[in-house]
Amino acid sequence: MSNTRVTVLLAPDEAPLPGLEALEGLARVRQLQGDEGLAEALADTDVLVVTDFRVEALEAAWPEPCPIQWVHATSAGVDALMIPPIRDGGFPVTNAAGVFDRGIAEYVLGAILLFAKDTLTNLALQREHRWQHRETALIRDQRALVVGAGSIGRSVATLLGALGMEVVGTARRAREDAAFDRVHAQQDLPDLLGDADYVIVTAPLTPDTEGLFDDHHFGLMKPGAAFINVGRGAIVRTEALLRALDGPLAGAALDVFEQEPLPADHPLWDRPDVMLSAHMAGDFIGWRQALGEQFVDNFNRWRLGEPLANPVDTARGYGRR
């Protein structure tokens, strides 16, 4: 395996992925910034690690015949990476499931506390130098609905449940899951929205979830509920969300958007009932080192002929669970 050729596809301004020095003597590692030399690199690659999803360039440079035996994505979501040569390539695809779970769960908890303690109003009053006493809510016994009961959703549910919240989830099929009070089938979502104080999207982007939160589903939400999206931006129709915020919703915390970066003139920026972040909910200090170490661990599984961790169902576009 010392001649295994590993190519890491980086963004043009991205630093090399740390932690791969552990592969010295086990593989020849090439970290490629940008698209220059991409076609030549892919034709000389056994294992491809993708940190930057420039899929148009990747598809255009894809070699035929293809020597690639395994593709690893340093992200939990891989929907954008499912170009035909990868989706239909017949080789394993893995993702970074697990690395971001705790960071995203803590982000969700912070967002819930932001709304429960009316922190956005506190900040607005502070800027105005206004002293205004108010009462705020306890989160104990409130209900959180986690749309997407996968790895990230389970971490969210575990953290919220430890604080006394009732947490229900949705998945492709109903199941028993110790992290949740209940997990319902996704088709039950309309019946669950009206009882939730917080609706939290952790689902991957698939044909079934794209545009899921539209006027209809927002209209089913409980008046005064808050909406949190740490899944994928395209799961939410932004114009429908804006209409819901003008209506019954208490507010929204958004880490992902239909268009990224969010345009500077977008109305979401100026809403007093919205918290925005730049697709960073899971990016804790040291996350890139953790990604490198996770890949090294999986590479050692691969070279020993052991089953790979975090396999992706390429037909569905997300990790198997």
Side-chain angles (χ1 to χ4, degrees), residues 48-135:
L48 178 64
V49 181
V50 183
T51 74
D52 182 61
F53 289 6
R54 300 190 312 282
V55 293
E56 290 184 2
L58 187 59
E59 187 168 9
W62 199 263
E64 187 60 46
C66 178
I68 294 171
Q69 302 172 47
W70 166 31
V71 172
H72 176 74
T74 59
S75 62
V78 294
D79 48 278
L81 191 59
M82 291 296 101
I83 56 177
I86 293 179
R87 185 189 63 227
D88 305 326
F91 44 72
V93 177
T94 56
N95 68 359
V99 170
F100 302 104
D101 294 6
R102 177 70 187 199
I104 293 176
E106 291 185 6
Y107 177 99
V108 169
L109 173 59
I112 287 175
L113 291 172
L114 178 92
F115 292 117
K117 304 309 172 187
D118 201 18
T119 302
L120 290 174
T121 302
N122 284 342
L123 294 172
L125 292 171
Q126 180 180 335
R127 287 190 292 269
E128 297 172 7
H129 297 198
R130 288 176 55 196
W131 181 277
Q132 181 177 318
H133 180 269
R134 299 168 337 278
E135 295 178 344

Side-chain angles (χ1 to χ4, degrees), residues 72-259:
H72 176 74
T74 59
S75 62
V78 294
D79 48 278
L81 191 59
M82 291 296 101
I83 56 177
I86 293 179
R87 185 189 63 227
D88 305 326
F91 44 72
V93 177
T94 56
N95 68 359
V99 170
F100 302 104
D101 294 6
R102 177 70 187 199
I104 293 176
E106 291 185 6
Y107 177 99
V108 169
L109 173 59
I112 287 175
L113 291 172
L114 178 92
F115 292 117
K117 304 309 172 187
D118 201 18
T119 302
L120 290 174
T121 302
N122 284 342
L123 294 172
L125 292 171
Q126 180 180 335
R127 287 190 292 269
E128 297 172 7
H129 297 198
R130 288 176 55 196
W131 181 277
Q132 181 177 318
H133 180 269
R134 299 168 337 278
E135 295 178 344
T136 61
L138 297 177
I139 65 172
R140 185 183 60 222
D141 297 328
Q142 291 201 312
R143 177 176 289 183
L145 171 59
V146 179
V147 182
S151 174
I152 293 171
R154 294 189 80 256
S155 188
V156 169
T158 299
L159 193 56
L160 300 185
L163 296 175
M165 297 188 74
E166 179 185 359
V167 189
V168 298
T170 63
R172 284 192 297 123
R173 292 182 296 272
R175 67 170 191 263
E176 295 293 323
D177 192 316
F180 294 86
D181 290 280
R182 293 176 304 283
V183 176
H184 297 261
Q186 183 67 24
Q187 65 191 34
D188 295 334
L189 177 62
D191 297 326
L192 302 171
L193 288 168
D195 294 326
D197 299 293
Y198 299 92
V199 175
I200 303 149
V201 178
T202 61
L205 180 63
T206 69
D208 291 333
T209 62
E210 184 171 4
L212 177 65
F213 278 89
D214 53 10
D215 287 308
H216 174 68
H217 280 96
F218 280 124
L220 296 174
M221 286 180 60
K222 180 180 181 179
F227 181 77
I228 301 167
N229 188 9
V230 290
R232 280 291 183 263
I235 294 174
V236 177
R237 296 300 185 213
T238 307
E239 293 303 316
L241 172 60
L242 286 167
R243 287 188 287 271
L245 288 167
D246 286 335
L249 290 194
L254 308 170
D255 186 57
V256 289
F257 306 87
E258 282 189 286
Q259 182 181 357

Side-chain angles (χ1 to χ4, degrees), residues 270-305:
D270 297 317
R271 291 200 64 102
D273 52 358
V274 172
M275 181 187 78
L276 308 180
S277 55
H279 204 147
M280 53 183 275
D283 294 353
F284 58 92
I285 296 169
W287 64 279
R288 298 188 78 246
Q289 180 72 30
L291 288 175
E293 292 171 358
Q294 182 189 53
F295 171 71
V296 169
D297 177 73
N298 227 4
F299 181 87
N300 285 326
R301 293 170 181 263
W302 185 72
R303 71 185 182 87
L304 295 173

